[in-house]
Amino acid sequence: MKELLLVLVAAISVGGFVPYAMDVIKGKAKPARSTRLMFTFLLAITILQQLSIHSGFLIVVTASEAVGALVILALAIKRGVGGWAKLDILCYCLLAVDVAVWLTTGSAFIALHLSVLADLIAFTPTLVKTWRHPKSETPLFFVTGVVAPSLNILGAGKFSYGVLLFPAYLAFINLLEVL
């Protein structure tokens, strides 16, 4: 049963990127370049952090998000907006601090918290852009970002704070974007 749920989670997660990518290609959605660049980098870091704290099957959502983030980043380079505004540069700096703290402390648990904070900061340009231009994003993409991590939590089988933090955060931030 758990394996079936994980396949469903991965399918929902990756499947959410398809309509979003199509909307970016058609010019309906305009992803924030800075957010997409930082998300791709952060998700790679988060996968390493989750591996080091033995998150088990919860890594499925993070890995699925990383694949989709890489595709959207590639599209955003040509079809996205922004990337060098003051807010973008601030977010890049905070992300650099996150990585530096993780590498210097050697604590994946601390770094996981910093990654959630950095992800929130990285997501800020998208939240601001969507607030100003609500039609510049694809709502279904963010709905799947609520559903997939929520189902992943249910199928985790391992309910500890460190394991559940990132998928719970993903569900929350995507719900915030939908609202």
Side-chain angles (χ1 to χ4, degrees):
M1 178 64 178
K2 184 188 295 189
E3 292 80 15
L4 181 60
L5 186 57
L6 291 172
V7 169
L8 178 63
V9 166
I12 290 170
S13 185
V14 172
F17 284 96
V18 174
Y20 188 57
M22 296 305 295
D23 282 352
V24 172
I25 291 167
K26 293 175 187 174
K28 292 180 181 178
K30 304 270 186 212
R33 286 184 192 106
S34 59
T35 295
R36 295 298 143 197
L37 176 63
M38 289 183 284
F39 276 174
T40 303
F41 185 70
L42 271 171
L43 286 163
I45 290 170
T46 303
I47 287 170
L48 295 174
Q49 292 166 343
Q50 287 180 322
L51 285 171
S52 70
I53 62 170
H54 309 291
S55 294
F57 290 117
L58 284 176
I59 203 164
V60 170
V61 166
T62 310
S64 300
E65 290 285 326
V67 169
L70 190 58
V71 170
I72 300 302
L73 172 61
L75 293 171
I77 290 170
K78 183 175 180 181
R79 296 181 160 95
V81 296
W84 293 107
K86 288 178 184 177
L87 179 61
D88 299 326
I89 293 168
L90 173 65
C91 292
Y92 296 142
C93 291
L94 289 169
L95 180 59
V97 168
D98 174 43
V99 173
V101 169
W102 178 39
L103 294 175
T104 57
T105 65
S107 171
F109 193 73
I110 291 170
L112 187 57
H113 286 85
L114 291 172
S115 289
V116 168
L117 178 59
D119 193 276
L120 177 60
I121 292 164
F123 202 74
T124 300
T126 294
L127 290 170
V128 170
K129 179 185 66 72
T130 305
W131 182 261
R132 292 180 182 155
H133 308 285
K135 300 290 183 189
S136 68
E137 291 293 352
T138 304
L140 178 61
F141 173 64
F142 297 99
V143 168
T144 62
V146 174
V147 173
S150 298
L151 289 174
N152 203 20
I153 289 168
L154 292 175
K158 188 176 183 183
F159 298 104
S160 69
Y161 177 78
V163 169
L164 298 178
L165 177 63
F166 198 72
Y169 160 75
L170 284 177
F172 170 77
I173 196 66
N174 281 289
L175 180 60
L176 184 61
E177 174 69 8
V178 169
L179 296 176

